[in-house]
Amino acid sequence: GIQVEQSPPDLILQEGANSTLRCNFSDSVNNLQWFHQNPWGQLINLFYIPSGTKQNGRLSATTVATERYSLLYISSSQTTDSGVYFCAVHRGGSNYKLTFGKGTLLTVNP
Amino acid sequence: SQTIHQWPATLVQPVGSPLSLECTVEGTSNPNLYWYRQAAGRGLQLLFYSVGIGQISSEVPQNLSASRPQDRQFILSSKKLLLSDSGFYLCAWSPLGNTIYFGEGSWLTVV
């Protein structure tokens, strides 16, 4: 099956710093999503971004499908950004099974 | 708007006891439904998915089963829990070919 690798596995920042999280995938994909898992466990949708660039406030994402990677940018980080960030991809087909990476654990210190 | 709910939020069960986790989706029809498990170490593993009533696909052999008795209801069950069944269980739904949305999750501890 398709492999999804996220880097770095862990990241510690001071409040106000910027960061870039990376997601590499081993095969062509139809869809790609970024999620944030908060400390209570809930998975929050950040971006649905099979290709191109999107921005939402301090967060933005870019997917280069031809090169099989996606980047999540977090600017001016806040303590509430802490948690695990997951990338998930879908290869295609009607059942829409997502394959997840292992995530990046982000800790933002005050 | 569409919403997804799952319950119970937390439960502690003895080894060998049965399990039933329930998930319902509101505001949509004929969604794809999923059960994921997140064990220690963060990775999410797809357990079951369903594209329609009574249609269940299992991704991994295990001690669990799933059922979809109604269009917007998805149930995760076990007849006899094992210690290794402990984890965080997430129900999810998606319209075809679009974003997937997760429920709040259920923390299961088997003792």
Side-chain angles (χ1 to χ4, degrees):
Chain A
I2 190 169
Q3 305 297 314
V4 181
E5 294 184 0
Q6 292 187 241
S7 60
D10 301 274
L11 183 60
I12 300 175
L13 301 173
Q14 287 300 121
E15 203 166 23
N18 302 328
S19 62
T20 300
L21 282 57
R22 187 177 180 100
C23 172
N24 292 333
F25 40 96
S26 61
D27 206 342
S28 59
V29 298
N30 280 6
N31 296 322
L32 186 145
Q33 289 183 237
W34 282 97
F35 297 89
H36 174 219
Q37 188 169 35
N38 64 25
W40 297 271
Q42 187 155 16
L43 279 162
I44 309 298
N45 291 43
L46 297 178
F47 293 102
Y48 170 79
I49 186 165
S51 63
T53 297
K54 291 186 178 179
Q55 181 157 6
N56 183 5
R58 296 181 295 104
L59 273 61
S60 64
T62 296
T63 297
V64 184
T66 53
E67 297 187 21
R68 299 180 185 171
Y69 74 88
S70 183
L71 302 174
L72 177 68
Y73 306 97
I74 304 174
S75 63
S76 304
S77 58
Q78 301 175 357
T79 56
T80 52
D81 295 330
S82 296
V84 182
Y85 289 80
F86 288 102
C87 165
V89 302
H90 172 231
R91 289 192 60 184
S94 61
N95 56 52
Y96 199 65
K97 295 189 291 181
L98 280 180
T99 300
F100 280 79
K102 293 186 182 294
T104 293
L105 175 59
L106 174 64
T107 303
V108 181
N109 293 321
Chain B
S1 62
Q2 301 88 358
T3 57
I4 178 170
H5 300 287
Q6 64 176 101
W7 66 93
T10 61
L11 65 165
V12 179
Q13 295 283 98
V15 169
S17 65
L19 170 74
S20 181
L21 299 179
E22 192 164 338
C23 172
T24 59
V25 180
E26 299 176 358
T28 187
S29 59
N30 198 31
N32 284 355
L33 296 173
Y34 308 84
W35 279 109
Y36 281 85
R37 176 170 60 197
Q38 186 176 34
R42 306 205 300 248
L44 279 88
Q45 180 186 38
L46 177 63
L47 302 177
F48 300 95
Y49 70 92
S50 171
V51 299
I53 295 175
Q55 301 178 60
I56 309 295
S57 295
S58 174
E59 286 296 293
V60 293
Q62 60 207 319
N63 186 41
L64 302 168
S65 62
S67 62
R68 184 171 179 173
Q70 301 180 43
D71 180 45
R72 292 171 292 170
Q73 184 184 27
F74 206 23
I75 298 172
L76 183 69
S77 304
S78 174
K79 292 182 179 179
K80 292 185 178 182
L81 284 168
L82 306 173
L83 287 174
S84 58
D85 292 323
S86 293
F88 187 50
Y89 290 82
L90 288 150
C91 181
W93 79 277
S94 74
L96 277 178
N98 209 321
T99 307
I100 191 169
Y101 300 93
F102 284 87
E104 307 94 334
S106 299
W107 294 93
L108 170 64
T109 303
V110 183
V111 297

